[in-house]
Amino acid sequence: MNSIKTLRSNKNYLGAFLLFFIGIVYAQSPKTVAKRAQPNIIVFLVDDMGWQDTSLPFWTKTTELNKRYHTPNMERLAKEGMKFTNAYATPVCTPTRVSMISGMNAANHGVTNWTSPVKDNNTDNSDEEMAKADWNYNGLSPVPGIPHTAYATTYPQLLKDAGYFTIHVGKAHWGSAGTPGSSPYNLGFMVNISGNSIGHPQSFKGTDNYGNIPGKTSPNAVPDLQEYFGKDCFLTEALTLEAIKSLEAPIKNKQAFYLNMSHYAIHDPLMADSRYIQKYLDAGLDAKEAKLASMIEGMDKSLGDIMNYLKEKNIEKNTIVIFMSDNGPSHRSNLPLKSSKGSVYEGGIREPMIVKWPAVVKPSTVAQQYVIIEDFFPTILEMAGLKNYRTAQQLDGESFLPILKNANYSNNERILVWHNPNKWTSSAAPGINYFSAIRQGNWKLVYSMRTGKKELYDLNDDIGEKNNLSDRYPGKVEQLSSLLSNELRKCKAPMPTFKNSGKVVPMPDEVEF
């Protein structure tokens, strides 16, 4: 009798053990682990937002422009995450957007200027001395063989293939109309709200139907927002409301999502956000600056609304939020930084960037290691747990996960390259047209294709790029010229030619210093 009881007891124990073992195996199965480990990811991208267009300082001190603006939600995000003080994009919007989702440097993908909504339209302005470079003016393409496009696999496509619910909201501007890259649906997005080939809206106002006027609809009319036509609803607010709606399904289905929250703000046309404009007028700003400040605050409200929604749905602890801008401010002062949008000087490329990743990134941390927009591709895929993925292109970006895990991480040997072989503005504005640049450590070399001039700056001591040190450190000029030239040759980067001779602009190391 005792032996029977013992046998039954052993059977019960064995059964319990088998159930426990099966549970462990199931819990560790690849599908279960992937589902449990995949975080939600949001990239919050702002258009034409400068390094100082915020009340949150991205320098060692608060600037006068920081004092002008009101962005409490950017401040909140930085308190909950990591602020990057050396984050870079490209000088112009489309190259940044292509670099971000392809992981390629602009010199490599060859989309070095903004793309037109009209197919086969080289947007470079004419120049008396320089003939246009043969760049990829039709933008990004997920399909090979499309003329004047960069063929690449996008990370939204890889996320979608891995089970993510992928959403694009707002400005796309990856390719010209009539090419595959003009539609976010072709680039891996399952939902697209208001994204197409246009680079800016006709209007930010719902009372203007965002440019959708019967009988005279503008080519820059923003699609998909009919619900808000005729209402006093700023475009930034409408896009935010639609973005939040788009998150309902994946949250309900417990499916990891990627949201590309890509605002048209604060790009031209400058228009007053009626919710905030008066406070800036009362503060003494002129009408233009008050409009800009109101658009910045409306953008910041969008960030706060999305963060609040994540908290309300109890998913904020499993959601990564990355804040970034696509280039410097347009046609306005950016002091102490030199120049603005379109330029390879710091004012055109240095951007506000913040990353919040609960349980990984320590709150209120600051990273000084430099990063660049093509780094988003490998970083986001690593965040999602994707490994051994295949792409049509060679990646230039490097994951910044080591920085997120250690704010003191440093790699001063890394080089960053900017290449702008275009005439972006119709004027011959110094520092805007036909420039390349390279950064390694604190050293930065700027090369003028038009004149052959080389400028050397120590960004640690001279963030404003006022003191050209090329005469003092000719060896450093030679070293950086060689590194920049090697990268441009390796990428077969597009270069302009001189009209009078028909010769291609020389590489930096071919110009005697």
Side-chain angles (χ1 to χ4, degrees):
M1 192 71 171
N2 288 337
S3 62
I4 293 175
K5 285 183 179 180
T6 303
L7 181 60
R8 285 176 178 171
S9 176
N10 288 341
K11 282 184 177 180
N12 291 337
Y13 175 78
L14 181 61
F17 175 79
L18 287 173
L19 288 172
F20 177 73
F21 178 77
I22 291 170
I24 291 176
V25 171
Y26 178 76
Q28 295 300 319
S29 68
K31 287 185 178 180
T32 307
V33 169
K35 185 174 182 180
R36 186 176 61 195
Q38 283 181 322
N40 307 308
I41 304 170
I42 297 174
V43 171
F44 192 97
L45 188 65
V46 189
D47 195 2
D48 282 9
M49 182 182 184
W51 178 69
Q52 301 170 87
D53 294 341
T54 168
S55 55
L56 177 68
F58 283 83
W59 196 21
T60 55
K61 55 187 175 183
T62 301
T63 69
E64 289 304 311
L65 286 174
N66 290 147
K67 297 174 185 177
R68 175 181 297 180
Y69 303 116
H70 186 61
T71 56
N73 294 297
M74 287 184 67
E75 295 178 31
R76 169 186 167 191
L77 187 64
K79 287 179 181 178
E80 297 175 2
M82 179 178 291
K83 179 172 69 172
F84 285 73
T85 60
N86 281 272
Y88 290 100
T90 76
V92 188
C93 53
T94 308
T96 286
R97 292 161 193 274
V98 173
S99 289
M100 187 178 100
I101 68 167
S102 73
M104 303 168 75
N105 185 268
N108 192 4
H109 61 61
V111 185
T112 52
N113 202 356
W114 62 278
T115 54
S116 169
V118 180
K119 184 181 178 182
D120 297 327
N121 178 27
N122 188 329
T123 57
D124 282 15
N125 284 284
S126 297
D127 187 82
E128 292 183 0
E129 296 178 303
M130 315 285 276
K132 296 179 180 180
D134 187 25
W135 62 284
N136 285 326
Y137 46 76
N138 281 328
L140 176 69
S141 175
V143 179
I146 307 297
H148 294 289
T149 65
Y151 169 48
T153 306
T154 69
Y155 74 72
Q157 183 65 57
L158 295 172
L159 289 175
K160 177 184 174 183
D161 294 344
Y164 270 78
F165 191 85
T166 52
I167 307 160
H168 173 81
V169 179
K171 177 175 173 176
H173 205 200
W174 288 298
S176 299
T179 68
S182 65
S183 172
Y185 290 119
N186 295 328
L187 300 177
F189 290 100
M190 301 166 68
V191 174
N192 170 39
I193 301 166
S194 301
N196 57 13
S197 60
I198 66 173
H200 67 84
Q202 176 65 21
S203 174
F204 281 91
K205 295 183 178 295
T207 50
D208 295 336
N209 297 352
Y210 312 114
N212 297 274
I213 307 299
K216 52 179 181 179
T217 293
S218 164
N220 285 312
V222 179
D224 304 330
L225 299 173
Q226 291 85 348
E227 179 182 344
Y228 306 93
F229 286 4
K231 298 179 180 179
D232 183 17
C233 184
F234 208 71
L235 177 57
T236 306
E237 179 76 2
L239 292 174
T240 306
L241 292 171
E242 291 302 301
I244 289 173
K245 288 179 188 177
S246 73
L247 296 178
E248 293 176 359
I251 291 173
K252 180 180 179 182
N253 296 329
K254 301 187 184 308
Q255 182 179 5
F257 63 79
Y258 170 72
L259 169 62
N260 199 56
M261 184 70 247
S262 180
H263 278 296
Y264 284 97
I266 53 176
H267 196 290
D268 293 341
L270 291 182
M271 292 186 168
D273 189 325
S274 60
R275 298 170 295 177
Y276 308 109
I277 182 69
Q278 193 58 48
K279 66 189 286 186
Y280 295 103
L281 292 172
D282 292 344
L285 295 184
D286 64 32
K288 180 180 177 181
E289 292 299 330
K291 288 177 183 177
L292 175 65
S294 74
M295 293 174 75
I296 291 172
E297 187 161 353
M299 171 281 300
D300 184 78
K301 177 185 181 295
S302 170
L303 175 64
D305 288 348
I306 291 172
M307 292 172 69
N308 290 341
Y309 181 77
L310 299 176
K311 188 172 184 178
E312 174 190 326
K313 294 297 180 179
N314 199 30
I315 59 170
E316 65 169 342
K317 292 182 180 179
N318 192 40
T319 303
I320 299 166
V321 180
I322 306 173
F323 183 101
M324 186 60 167
S325 173
D326 67 347
N327 48 248
S330 180
H331 305 298
R332 51 193 163 88
S333 173
N334 200 18
L335 294 175
L337 299 188
K338 186 174 183 177
S339 199
S340 56
K341 179 179 179 179
S343 173
V344 299
Y345 290 112
E346 294 295 288
I349 56 178
R350 188 180 282 240
E351 310 301 335
M353 176 178 163
I354 312 167
V355 179
K356 175 187 175 183
W357 189 358
V360 174
V361 173
K362 293 181 180 179
S364 298
T365 49
V366 178
Q368 297 181 352
Q369 172 63 37
Y370 48 84
V371 296
I372 194 167
I373 191 66
E374 54 260 31
D375 296 342
F376 279 45
F377 186 110
T379 304
I380 287 172
L381 293 181
E382 190 173 355
M383 286 172 164
L386 273 65
K387 299 178 181 178
N388 302 319
Y389 50 82
R390 295 183 179 181
T391 61
Q393 72 278 18
Q394 183 70 37
L395 300 183
D396 300 307
E398 297 181 8
S399 172
F400 50 78
L401 249 67
I403 307 172
L404 296 176
K405 294 177 180 179
N406 176 13
N408 296 318
Y409 176 89
S410 178
N411 178 10
N412 285 328
E413 294 302 311
R414 186 186 183 190
I415 62 171
L416 303 184
V417 169
W418 296 269
H419 186 56
N420 187 24
N422 311 87
K423 188 164 185 178
W424 178 66
T425 61
S426 57
S427 68
I432 296 290
N433 304 312
Y434 307 116
F435 276 82
S436 294
I438 184 171
R439 176 173 179 175
Q440 185 180 45
N442 291 324
W443 292 106
K444 182 179 175 185
L445 180 80
V446 177
Y447 172 63
S448 170
M449 299 178 209
R450 187 190 294 276
T451 66
K453 182 180 179 182
K454 301 175 188 178
E455 303 166 35
L456 180 69
Y457 299 103
D458 181 351
L459 296 178
N460 189 54
D461 298 328
D462 182 22
I463 197 171
E465 296 168 294
K466 294 179 180 179
N467 304 310
N468 181 4
L469 302 175
S470 57
D471 289 337
R472 189 184 302 179
Y473 300 101
K476 181 59 68 174
V477 172
E478 183 178 353
Q479 177 199 6
L480 293 178
S481 294
S482 178
L483 288 171
L484 175 57
S485 300
N486 289 341
E487 287 299 309
L488 297 179
R489 290 191 185 100
K490 182 179 73 174
C491 296
K492 298 180 180 180
M495 302 290 286
T497 57
F498 293 109
K499 286 183 175 180
N500 60 358
S501 66
K503 292 183 178 179
V504 178
V505 166
M507 291 291 177
D509 63 358
E510 296 171 345
V511 178
E512 289 188 11
F513 174 67

